[in-house]
Amino acid sequence: MRVRSALVYTVLRLAAFLVPFGLMMLSPLLREYYWLSAIFAALIGLSLSTLFLRRPLDDLSADLASRRRRTVTDEDVEDAATESAGESADR
C-alpha cells in the first residue's frame, strides 16, 4: 500500500472537519456549546468528503485492494503443496 494515498486522504478528511469546527468556534454562541459545533462540523465534513474527496478515496481503495490480492491465502499454499507433491511423484 502506498502510504501517500492514505496520508493524503486522512489529512483531507481531518481538514474537512477541523476547518468548519474552527470557524464555528469563532462564534461566541457556538463556543459555549462546543459539542454542537463538533456535531455540525462532523456533518459538514462528511458532506464535503462525500462531494469532493472521491478521487483520494478511490486511490486508497485501489491500493488496499491490490495489497489484499497480493497476500498469500491457505488455498494458495495448499495448491502449491499439491503441485509440488504431484511433480515429485512423477519423478
Side-chain angles (χ1 to χ4, degrees), residues 67-85:
R67 182 178 180 195
R68 183 173 173 94
R69 273 186 251 124
R70 284 191 305 223
T71 59
V72 178
T73 62
D74 286 340
E75 294 173 357
D76 295 335
V77 173
E78 290 172 358
D79 291 343
T82 305
E83 289 174 6
S84 66

Side-chain angles (χ1 to χ4, degrees), residues 3 5 20-22 38 43 54 57 66-67 73 76 85-86:
V3 176
S5 62
F21 183 71
L43 292 173
R54 175 58 52 195
L57 178 61
S66 68
R67 182 178 180 195
T73 62
D76 295 335

Side-chain angles (χ1 to χ4, degrees), residues 29-51:
L29 177 65
L30 290 175
R31 189 179 309 142
E32 187 174 330
Y33 299 107
Y34 63 90
W35 54 271
L36 192 60
S37 297
I39 291 172
F40 286 150
L43 292 173
I44 292 169
L46 179 67
S47 301
L48 290 174
S49 65
T50 301
L51 291 173

Side-chain angles (χ1 to χ4, degrees), residues 83-91:
E83 289 174 6
S84 66
E87 291 175 3
S88 63
D90 291 339
R91 292 181 187 184

